[in-house]
Amino acid sequence: MMPHLVEPFDTPSLEYQLLAPMLIVFGGAIIGVLVEAFAPRGARRGIQLVLSLLTLLAAFVALLVWTRPDLGQIVASGNVAIDGPAVFFQGTILVLSFMAFLLFAEREVDSAGDAFTPSAATIPGSESERELTAARVSQTEVWPLTLFSVGGMMLFVAADDLLTFFVALEVMSLPLYLLVGLARRRRLLSQEAALKYFLLGSFSSAFLIFGSAFLFGYSGSISFAGIYDSLSSGVELDPLLLVGTGLVSIGLFFKVGAVPFHSWVPDVYQGAPTPVTAFMASATKVAAFGAMLRLFYVALGDYDWNWRPMFWIVTILTIVVGSILAITQTDIKRMLAYSSVAQAGFILIGVTAASESGLSSTMFYLTAYGFATIGAFALVTLVRDGTAEATHLSRWAGLGRRSPVVAGVLALFLLSFAGIPLTSGFIGKFTVFEAAIDGGATPLAIVGAIFSAVAAFFYVRVIVLMYFSDSPEDAPTIAVPSALTTLSIAVCAAATVALGVFPGPVIDLAEQAASFIR
Amino acid sequence: MNDFPVLTTLGVLPFAGALVVAALPRGRELLAKQIALAVTLVMLALTVAMALAFEPNAAEPFQFVEKTPWIEQFGINYAVGVDGIALVLIALAVSLAPVVILAGWNDADDNERHRPQTYFALLLALLGCIVYVFAATDLFLFYVAFEVMLVPVYFLIGMFGRGQRTYAAVKFLLYSLFGGLLLLAALIGLYVVSVRELGTGTFDWTLLAGMPIDPDTQKILFAGFFFAFAIKAPMVPLHTWLPDAAASATPATSTLLVGVLDKVATFAMLRLVIPIFPDASEWAAPFVVTLAVISIVYGALVAIGQTDMYRLIAYTSVSHFGFIILGIFAFTEIGGSGSVVYMVAHGLSTAALFIVAGYLVKRRGSSLIPSFGGVQRVAPILAGFFLFAGLASLAMPGMASFVGELTVLIGSYQRWPVAAAIAVIGIVLSSLYVLIMYQRVATGPATENVKGMRDVFPRELVAFAPIIALTIAVGVFPKPVFDVVNPAIERTYSFLNVEPVEPDVPDVDALTEYGVTEGEGTE
């Protein structure tokens, strides 16, 4: 008789229907890679554009058909949880990515083509770069890369154990590091941003995986449910647990751009090609918050008395520092970056509430914020000095008179960020403040309210410039975008108004979806 | 009339008008103005019809009620309705709207940056917000209107103002937003309390008023509400945005801003603060009354020292708002009703002052008092209007403000004798600032500055006449206003536990009938 050298191996059962949205996105990304390898260069862009949009669409349809926000199931041998929040966040990520992809495809606003450099490997300003630009070569790898990132995000919000969590984080982040460095204009700034993002991102990933090891050491389990179980029976002030929680938090705070781990945000948002910035500021933020919520509400759910004080401090710091530093910015992309730091603080108010309404309010806020952010960055791509985007704030003076539509829609997004009623941002603030006060975090709501007024200052400053100031002599041109960008901006504006005036259905959906399974 | 959604029509009509006006192409400026005027006149007709159908002594708190679920997850309704106070204030707003449009007919014409279409569209949008803020019986709807209102005012000041318009617009917006966001936090706090007290969360006034709230929570929530309204009113020391805004805005904007929009704050003290936080209101009353008296005296003193007419008018308003708040927090029915009448009177007198000042500034190109002198000689009717506006402001017997000021003082003397005594200083000072201004601007020989100044145009005359008529009408025969307001005031104070003060003066009806003819003798 032969002894068994290995344990008998059960093939893992996979719930294909529930995993279908992610499988479709990853499948689409792999086909995209094959297209890069086999399709002729001239045909690639068309194929990639159609393929990517269809992939996102198919994944969204699969999500609608096969998953339900009010039912939860742990699938893939316990590695992935497809429950309400996962479905809600995956849907949000897909929709926001679709909007961002429309911006990726834009070729009308820049005379030389889309927002990406023809070849990232060429030296900025070199002869070969000029040749490639003249030949109108375009870098079509961005499409499969971004699809991989989208897939990573979808897995990140559904990951139910520490390893899947980390793998998803890396799948999401690695393509982003590359995408950040691909700007067609101001390439040195872009490459610097990419390097900075990569280095700091690697550090944060290291913190996260190190922290995961501590949590594993404490609980003997990598699954979130396992950590939860050992918490309910184990010693609660175990150093392993404390250190693990702290280190994992650093990784997540980095990804959402919370103070004091926010320093990459302005540089990267400024340096990255603006469509990529829009994608990162919306979809990535949704994914990072989704994952953060799952880790803290599921694995550390009964431990909130211990992590909430830390969240209080980080939340207040994020709101205060983000709002105040945004005031001093003179570049619109950097200002929007700091604004996104401040907004992350407002979203953290909902997370800190540590309740079901905290969860649903965070979900609503992220959706509202995502649309307004993509719209705002899309508008940034339209105002141009000759070839590059005119991002210095002074260049935006008098825009209200020269281009009422661009200025008006941007004003709408800014008012939404500022939280003026009848925009989605107001309902978002309303729901997170409600969750905070209901969850006993009234001081956070008050700090949030006060700093909303501070934040309003820099949003309003842009409106002042656009409407109350005179145009500069050599006023920047307003590019007329193709139907793709126009569609993206229109959808974002419509969503911002609709979620502000009739938020009922989305709040309803978020409330239905607001329960994790363990 | 009962099934016709009159309040929704009143609220939506100006927004629709604003969209139409804004969409008019270049070259159709006159049509834009005509449409704006027509919209306000239709609103006026609707309001008159509503006022005639209004039953002052009805049992239910609100009339012309409409209610539709809006955001059901938070128990938010689209709910509108008016009580006597809201009716009177909507009537004030709607009566002033055609007046300011007519008076400021050409105010936006010489603006090289922005079209008059935008100006009139913003004015109409502001009017729509004002209707909603007074008509809302759902606190969430109230808040939405309260905040959205900032947007048109902000653009009106920033786009069509003069001087430091940008600074003034941003200052106005930030002050208001700051108060507004604290109000939001308090409002959500109230909602959370309602979840605990009533089982389901609600923003419905009829359920929230009189709801038992723990006294400490009440104080915190009261602070959030009161702070926002103290900025809006404005009370010293949160008033500094007002003179800047008034000095930079067009007269039409200032009239709507100071005359009507700021009344939202005093209205909300009566509608929201006292019925929902009665215990905290009583607790804070001495503090509020102190601030009110400081506002009265300080506003008047600073007004005397102003050299800019618009700023002077703004400071007189700070003083007058002090009277209104004093009347409200006297917790006597005569004080409360008096404060509502004073709100109307102040709306009218401020409108009169801003409009005449606007006429003067338009002619002279400067709002500084020393740049005038002897206007009376060259433009007697204009100077006469100016004098009338001044007298309306200093509460001459026969003018609406006299009724308001007198009843407020009587009402507050019963509860706060010292405060009322100090407040009387405000009356003396008001004669000073008005008469000094009039003297410097209008009397004496005509100076070089005003040579050749045209007297009022027919359009300006038509715009100003209704204010004169209304000021005297309310001043001579305030009974209809008191009749409408009294039941609502009675209901407001019924939430309080204060022991009523026995009036040692004739009741309000008798008083006001005497009030005019025997004015000063009544006390």
Side-chain angles (χ1 to χ4, degrees):
Chain A
M1 247 176 73
M2 285 283 289
H4 282 291
L5 291 178
V6 287
E7 295 279 308
F9 183 74
D10 295 328
T11 34
S13 70
L14 286 178
E15 291 74 1
Y16 285 104
Q17 291 192 340
L18 294 178
L19 295 170
M22 280 185 275
L23 296 177
I24 291 172
V25 172
F26 283 125
I30 291 167
I31 296 174
V33 173
L34 294 177
V35 169
E36 286 300 313
F38 295 112
R41 172 161 273 175
R44 282 185 209 158
R45 181 182 175 274
I47 299 175
Q48 294 286 19
L49 172 60
V50 174
L51 174 70
S52 306
L53 293 180
L54 280 181
T55 301
L56 294 178
L57 213 59
F60 193 68
V61 170
L63 195 72
L64 290 183
V65 174
W66 283 317
T67 63
R68 288 186 50 189
D70 51 350
L71 289 182
Q73 196 178 339
I74 292 185
V75 296
S77 315
N79 297 325
V80 175
I82 301 294
D83 52 9
V87 171
F88 186 94
F89 284 128
Q90 287 186 344
T92 311
I93 290 168
L94 285 170
V95 174
L96 293 175
S97 303
F98 193 89
M99 296 301 139
F101 270 57
L102 294 176
L103 303 183
F104 279 38
E106 178 62 58
R107 285 196 300 184
E108 305 282 318
V109 296
D110 190 328
S111 53
D114 57 23
F116 304 100
T117 175
S119 166
T122 55
I123 297 165
S126 66
E127 191 55 41
S128 54
E129 184 197 35
R130 266 193 292 281
E131 279 168 16
L132 288 167
T133 308
R136 295 189 72 81
V137 172
S138 65
Q139 182 92 272
T140 44
E141 286 93 338
V142 293
W143 303 92
L145 279 175
T146 318
L147 277 181
F148 274 120
S149 183
V150 172
M153 291 174 191
M154 292 170 69
L155 182 60
F156 200 29
V157 296
D160 205 34
D161 71 51
L162 290 169
L163 283 183
T164 314
F165 195 68
F166 182 71
V167 170
L169 172 75
E170 291 303 297
V171 173
M172 164 182 115
S173 304
L174 287 172
L176 285 177
Y177 298 142
L178 204 53
L179 287 167
V180 168
L182 293 183
R184 177 185 290 277
R185 310 284 172 192
R186 299 191 186 130
R187 285 188 57 202
L188 285 175
L189 200 65
S190 171
Q191 292 179 352
E192 184 195 320
L195 189 63
K196 202 174 260 180
Y197 189 32
F198 175 66
L199 281 177
L200 292 174
S202 309
F203 275 126
S204 84
S205 298
F207 278 118
L208 193 116
I209 193 75
F210 198 28
S212 303
F214 275 98
L215 287 180
F216 174 66
Y218 166 76
S219 63
S221 165
I222 56 163
S223 82
F224 287 0
I227 296 171
Y228 176 81
D229 288 339
S230 61
L231 260 172
S232 47
S233 55
V235 190
E236 291 193 325
L237 278 175
D238 191 308
L240 285 175
L241 176 64
L242 292 178
V243 175
T245 308
L247 291 176
V248 169
S249 311
I250 291 178
L252 288 170
F253 283 141
F254 176 86
K255 281 292 161 199
V256 303
V259 177
F261 310 104
H262 67 289
S263 54
W264 61 277
V265 176
D267 293 340
V268 173
Y269 279 24
Q270 184 188 20
T274 307
V276 174
T277 312
F279 176 65
M280 288 175 64
S282 53
T284 311
K285 196 151 265 187
V286 173
F289 270 109
M292 175 187 272
L293 283 163
R294 183 176 299 281
L295 178 70
F296 283 94
Y297 281 35
V298 175
L300 306 170
D302 269 358
Y303 192 49
D304 60 328
W305 57 270
N306 215 341
W307 56 260
R308 276 179 88 184
M310 169 180 76
F311 268 69
W312 273 66
I313 297 168
V314 171
T315 303
I316 292 176
L317 273 179
T318 306
I319 295 174
V320 172
V321 173
S323 307
I324 290 176
L325 287 184
I327 293 175
T328 64
Q329 301 305 313
T330 53
D331 182 289
I332 188 146
K333 280 173 85 177
R334 287 185 81 84
M335 191 214 84
L336 286 173
Y338 276 108
S339 129
S340 94
V341 172
Q343 298 287 341
F346 292 121
I347 302 170
L348 278 171
I349 294 180
V351 180
T352 311
S355 63
E356 209 161 89
S357 66
L359 179 57
S360 65
S361 68
T362 313
M363 286 154 82
F364 182 89
Y365 200 121
L366 282 165
T367 311
Y369 169 74
F371 279 111
T373 305
I374 292 188
F377 279 111
L379 290 167
V380 169
T381 64
L382 301 185
V383 182
R384 291 182 168 260
D385 267 335
T387 53
E389 288 159 5
T391 54
H392 197 274
L393 272 178
S394 64
R395 307 290 297 150
W396 286 63
L399 196 72
R401 206 154 61 98
R402 286 182 302 118
S403 183
V405 177
V406 171
V409 179
L410 184 64
L412 170 72
F413 292 134
L414 293 173
L415 290 176
S416 173
F417 289 143
I420 300 288
L422 301 185
T423 62
S424 59
F426 167 68
I427 304 287
K429 286 221 167 77
F430 177 83
T431 55
V432 295
F433 290 170
E434 195 271 329
I437 294 176
D438 195 33
T442 309
L444 280 187
I446 293 173
V447 171
I450 291 172
F451 278 87
S452 295
V454 176
F457 178 76
F458 56 82
Y459 296 126
V460 164
R461 202 173 54 158
V462 180
I463 298 179
V464 166
L465 271 173
M466 292 195 300
Y467 284 96
F468 305 166
S469 307
D470 292 320
S471 308
E473 293 280 313
D474 51 338
T477 51
I478 315 294
V480 179
S482 68
L484 297 168
T485 302
T486 313
L487 176 68
S488 180
I489 296 173
V491 170
C492 291
T496 303
V497 174
L499 290 178
V501 181
F502 298 108
V506 177
I507 295 181
D508 217 26
L509 189 65
E511 284 185 351
Q512 267 183 36
S515 68
F516 283 114
I517 55 162
R518 206 163 256 136
Chain B
M1 191 77 195
N2 281 335
D3 295 331
F4 180 68
V6 59
L7 284 170
T8 298
T9 314
L10 265 182
V12 171
L13 191 63
F15 286 113
L19 286 181
V20 172
V21 169
L24 288 175
R26 233 169 252 284
R28 308 305 297 271
E29 283 75 16
L30 183 64
L31 184 62
K33 296 172 187 178
Q34 286 163 342
I35 292 177
L37 185 63
V39 167
T40 54
L41 289 174
V42 172
M43 290 175 72
L44 185 59
L46 272 173
T47 311
V48 170
M50 184 171 75
L52 292 176
F54 185 83
E55 289 162 32
N57 294 309
E60 68 272 21
F62 300 117
Q63 298 177 44
F64 310 103
V65 173
E66 297 164 46
K67 192 170 172 182
T68 326
W70 181 13
I71 307 175
E72 292 178 64
Q73 291 82 356
F74 291 106
I76 295 166
N77 291 302
Y78 170 86
V80 288
V82 286
D83 59 2
I85 307 171
L87 178 73
V88 165
L89 290 172
I90 290 178
L92 171 70
V94 174
S95 322
L96 287 179
V99 169
V100 295
I101 286 180
L102 206 54
W105 198 251
N106 299 325
D107 278 0
D109 286 358
D110 42 6
N111 190 307
E112 69 263 21
R113 280 191 204 81
H114 304 285
R115 307 181 308 157
Q117 282 90 326
T118 316
Y119 180 72
F120 287 97
L122 287 170
L123 276 182
L124 285 179
L126 171 59
L127 193 60
C129 296
I130 289 175
V131 170
Y132 270 116
V133 88
F134 289 128
T137 57
D138 185 278
L139 267 65
F140 188 86
L141 181 62
F142 168 85
Y143 181 79
V144 167
F146 186 76
E147 288 287 278
V148 170
M149 199 160 67
L150 305 178
V151 179
V153 179
Y154 168 72
F155 281 112
L156 279 169
I157 299 174
M159 282 179 161
F160 296 97
R162 43 179 218 126
Q164 285 188 305
R165 58 197 164 82
T166 306
Y167 169 79
V170 173
K171 189 171 180 181
F172 160 78
L173 189 72
L174 290 182
Y175 263 76
S176 305
L177 265 184
F178 187 64
L181 286 162
L182 285 178
L183 174 63
L184 176 64
L187 194 62
I188 297 171
L190 180 64
Y191 170 79
V192 171
V193 172
S194 81
V195 173
R196 286 173 196 162
E197 288 291 334
L198 306 172
T200 53
T202 184
F203 287 93
D204 188 340
W205 184 90
T206 46
L207 298 173
L208 291 175
M211 180 176 75
I213 309 177
D214 161 66
D216 291 328
T217 316
Q218 247 191 60
K219 285 173 193 168
I220 297 169
L221 296 178
F222 171 89
F225 274 71
F226 189 79
F227 189 76
F229 299 138
I231 288 181
K232 198 65 145 192
M235 288 180 90
V236 176
L238 303 170
H239 65 286
T240 60
W241 62 270
L242 182 68
D244 290 325
S248 302
T250 61
T253 312
S254 297
T255 304
L256 288 183
L257 173 66
V258 186
V260 184
L261 195 151
D262 288 350
K263 303 291 188 309
V264 171
T266 44
F267 165 76
M269 288 176 195
L270 281 169
R271 166 66 72 77
L272 307 179
V273 173
I274 291 178
I276 299 179
F277 312 115
D279 298 341
S281 300
E282 284 171 44
W283 164 76
F287 171 72
V288 175
V289 166
T290 311
L291 276 185
V293 172
I294 293 175
S295 293
I296 293 173
V297 177
Y298 178 82
L301 280 175
V302 179
I304 296 173
Q306 296 304 307
T307 52
D308 182 296
M309 279 194 281
Y310 289 145
R311 293 186 76 88
L312 190 147
I313 301 168
Y315 275 109
T316 68
S317 296
V318 172
S319 178
H320 291 167
F321 271 107
F323 275 108
I324 297 172
I325 293 166
L326 177 65
I328 292 172
F329 279 82
F331 302 147
T332 56
E333 276 163 34
I334 183 166
S337 302
S339 69
V340 177
V341 174
Y342 203 172
M343 287 188 219
V344 175
H346 174 254
L348 293 171
S349 71
T350 314
L353 276 172
F354 272 120
I355 287 172
V356 184
Y359 290 171
L360 286 165
V361 173
K362 189 99 181 161
R363 286 168 168 72
R364 178 68 184 86
S366 159
S367 59
L368 293 179
I369 295 170
S371 61
F372 293 89
V375 171
Q376 198 188 5
R377 301 289 161 122
V378 287
I381 305 179
L382 185 58
F385 282 0
F386 196 40
L387 183 62
F388 178 86
L391 295 180
S393 177
L394 66 75
M396 252 266 288
M399 309 283 188
S401 347
F402 173 71
V403 182
E405 210 157 276
L406 186 69
T407 41
V408 162
L409 283 174
I410 293 172
S412 50
Y413 181 77
Q414 294 168 13
R415 195 169 305 275
W416 314 104
V418 178
I422 302 174
V424 173
I425 300 173
I427 301 183
V428 181
L429 294 175
S430 73
S431 324
L432 266 178
Y433 56 68
V434 165
L435 294 176
I436 292 176
M437 173 166 72
Y438 179 76
Q439 184 197 6
R440 291 193 190 151
V441 170
T443 59
T447 56
E448 279 301 311
N449 293 332
V450 302
K451 283 273 162 63
M453 187 177 270
R454 294 266 321 261
D455 212 335
V456 287
F457 303 108
R459 170 181 60 79
E460 295 174 326
L461 188 79
V462 172
F464 199 73
I467 301 187
I468 300 183
L470 280 172
T471 305
I472 295 179
V474 178
V476 174
F477 190 58
K479 188 169 182 301
V481 182
F482 277 113
D483 283 348
V484 171
V485 167
N486 277 339
I489 287 290
E490 217 168 294
R491 190 174 295 113
T492 300
Y493 288 142
S494 68
F495 292 97
L496 294 166
N497 297 317
V498 291
E499 63 272 30
V501 185
E502 275 306 308
D504 45 4
V505 285
D507 64 273
V508 175
D509 286 351
L511 170 85
T512 49
E513 275 158 26
Y514 286 101
V516 183
T517 42
E518 296 179 17
E520 283 136 314
T522 318
E523 256 182 303

